[in-house]
Amino acid sequence: MLLFTLLLEVIWILAADGGQHWTYEGELENQHCLWASEENCSRSIRDSDLTLPGPHGPDHWPDSYPECGSNAQSPINIQTQSVTFDPELPALQPHGYDQPGTKPLELHNNGHTVQLSLPPTLHLEGFSGKYVAVQLHLHWGQKGSPGGSEHQINSEATAAELHIVHYDSDSYESLSEAAQRPQGLAVLGILIEVGETKNPAYEHILSRLHEIRHKDQKTSVPPFNVTELLPPRLEQYFRYNGSLTTPPCYQSVLWTVFNQRAQISIGQLEKLRETLFSTQEEPLTLLVQNHRVPQPLNQRIVLASFIQVRSLYTTGKMLSLGVGILFGCLCLLLAVYFIARKIRKKRLGNQKSVVFTSAQATEA
Ligand SMILES: *[C@@H]1O[C@H](CO)[C@@H](O)[C@H](O)[C@H]1NC(C)=O
């Protein structure tokens, strides 16, 4: 019996680790940063931005995972002037997020991200089925470079992004079963930017990172109010059909990307960027830049649950409008000036002739 469970364990481990090795670009190059001076480090990052995509980087994902090269991939750049307003989209309703039970949650450095397990008491309503939560994880950039989020809104990336992963428990038994079926998963995407103050909700995760610096390390976190990781306005979101943003890139995700951002402090962002390693032992490699670039939208549509309050004029338009008005005023002023001059001349001429005629009259 013991032998049997051991065998099962081995099979399970092999199955879990059986996928091909994959990385994000630049992971290998960042190794320098642990040994080099800061200046050399940022130089090596700059160089690696231009060249040297890793042999297992995103360009090579489709070699081992064909779906990564398919045509409905995530993330995307959401262009707000091209989204379709859908008044049928209801406000997102997270249930059980406020109090996720009493059992501790597992926080895990899996070498690609930091992941927090979530109990199935957390679920989403406002979808066609019931989607229960499984885990949440983060994506981020690296020191000295902007960006880090996966989704972009109007080509603007933020410092980091939170993903909360759910699966359709009405239709499927488990996450792994649902992960390969259309709309089997529902993921919430929260763009994270740097704000003035420390975010206490994110601190439940970030303050524990030093306990799981190496790949495959785990720790447990007391349950906390997960709603507070979300932005305040849950009724403003974008919805589209996409994929997992990491191999195997299954196109099974109904995405919800919130319009509003969450905020963490610069200190919290630094902790996220500088604490974790993507490796288990030497050579230790910082776990950074774990975000995929936006993928082509192709034929897909992006729905919006709200009407954009867009400023009518962009800065460029405002500027040309200003110049136009100024030029118009100048023309008008000149016209008035010349007309006034002409009228005065005419009047003066009339007066002269009047004086002349009256002089003639007195002479006569
Ligand atoms: C996603 O795909 C399904 C099935 O093709 C479709 O019914 C649904 O309208 C799509 N949703 C969006 C937001 O495009």
Side-chain angles (χ1 to χ4, degrees):
M1 185 64 197
L2 186 72
L3 208 71
F4 181 69
T5 31
L6 258 178
L7 193 71
L8 264 187
E9 185 93 326
V10 168
I11 289 172
W12 186 82
I13 288 168
L14 282 178
D17 217 19
Q20 295 290 314
H21 176 62
W22 60 269
T23 65
Y24 293 94
E25 265 158 48
E27 262 181 43
L28 283 175
E29 286 73 37
N30 295 338
Q31 234 166 268
H32 289 281
C33 302
L34 292 176
W35 316 112
S37 69
E38 192 153 295
E39 197 186 328
N40 282 342
C41 168
S42 48
R43 184 171 329 122
S44 81
I45 290 168
R46 247 182 286 124
D47 292 346
S48 73
D49 279 346
L50 302 173
T51 53
L52 287 178
H56 302 284
D59 290 347
H60 295 276
W61 290 358
D63 302 346
S64 308
Y65 305 95
E67 223 160 325
C68 296
S70 212
N71 59 7
Q73 290 287 294
S74 294
I76 57 165
N77 173 25
I78 296 166
Q79 239 128 23
T80 55
Q81 85 274 18
S82 315
V83 301
T84 307
F85 169 58
D86 181 357
E88 309 270 277
L89 286 176
L92 200 102
Q93 303 157 49
H95 286 262
Y97 274 48
D98 290 353
Q99 184 39 261
T102 49
K103 280 212 322 216
L105 309 171
E106 186 188 86
L107 193 67
H108 178 196
N109 173 354
N110 66 16
H112 298 297
T113 186
V114 52
Q115 185 167 306
L116 184 75
S117 66
L118 295 172
T121 49
L122 275 67
H123 67 273
L124 296 178
E125 274 168 28
F127 290 87
S128 58
K130 181 183 176 188
Y131 283 84
V132 300
V134 184
Q135 48 102 338
L136 61 80
H137 61 264
L138 291 154
H139 298 269
W140 59 91
Q142 73 187 355
K143 199 177 170 183
S145 77
S149 68
E150 298 212 295
H151 286 95
Q152 298 182 0
I153 298 181
N154 296 328
S155 303
E156 198 182 333
T158 63
E161 185 167 336
L162 173 73
H163 289 161
I164 311 182
V165 181
H166 308 72
Y167 77 91
D168 177 354
S169 65
D170 285 346
S171 312
Y172 308 107
E173 287 293 317
S174 66
L175 174 73
S176 55
E177 194 191 333
Q180 304 192 44
R181 309 296 174 82
Q183 305 195 61
L185 307 184
V187 182
L188 306 183
I190 294 106
L191 297 174
I192 302 170
E193 66 184 0
V194 172
E196 294 293 309
T197 53
K198 204 176 214 178
N199 185 320
Y202 282 86
E203 196 61 10
H204 289 286
I205 298 167
L206 300 174
S207 69
R208 307 298 298 278
L209 296 183
H210 66 276
E211 297 169 38
I212 52 166
R213 296 196 71 183
H214 298 233
K215 184 189 173 200
D216 293 337
Q217 285 187 317
K218 292 175 180 171
T219 187
S220 47
V221 173
F224 62 92
N225 185 345
V226 177
T227 318
E228 287 170 359
L229 298 173
L230 305 177
R233 308 205 61 172
L234 299 182
E235 69 278 13
Q236 295 189 358
Y237 60 83
F238 303 101
R239 171 74 46 83
Y240 77 98
N241 282 319
S243 75
L244 304 176
T245 63
T246 57
C249 309
Y250 295 139
Q251 297 188 156
S252 57
V253 182
L254 190 54
W255 275 97
T256 302
V257 178
F258 291 104
N259 182 47
Q260 279 194 329
R261 299 161 176 187
Q263 296 191 334
I264 60 175
S265 69
I266 184 71
Q268 287 183 306
L269 179 65
E270 281 167 0
K271 220 181 266 177
L272 183 61
R273 285 170 167 177
E274 292 164 30
T275 309
L276 301 176
F277 297 115
S278 63
T279 47
Q280 227 165 0
E281 47 206 43
E282 312 285 326
L284 290 175
T285 305
L286 266 187
L287 174 41
V288 289
Q289 294 278 54
N290 58 351
H291 57 104
R292 190 186 197 191
V293 298
Q295 304 294 303
L297 187 61
N298 296 323
Q299 313 307 320
R300 289 176 287 175
I301 53 161
V302 178
L303 300 177
S305 68
F306 63 106
I307 296 177
Q308 290 282 320
V309 188
R310 239 179 299 143
S311 68
L312 271 172
Y313 299 105
T314 61
T315 329
K317 273 189 196 159
M318 287 293 250
L319 205 71
S320 49
L321 200 72
V323 170
I325 288 173
L326 217 70
F327 186 71
C329 285
L330 205 71
C331 285
L332 204 71
L333 221 70
L334 275 174
V336 167
Y337 170 74
F338 279 117
I339 289 169
R341 225 170 71 159
K342 221 173 202 168
I343 290 174
R344 225 180 95 194
K345 242 189 202 162
K346 220 176 192 173
R347 256 207 211 134
L348 271 179
N350 282 349
Q351 257 171 24
K352 258 184 207 156
S353 67
V354 167
V355 170
F356 183 70
T357 40
S358 53
Q360 269 182 335
T362 41
E363 238 174 83

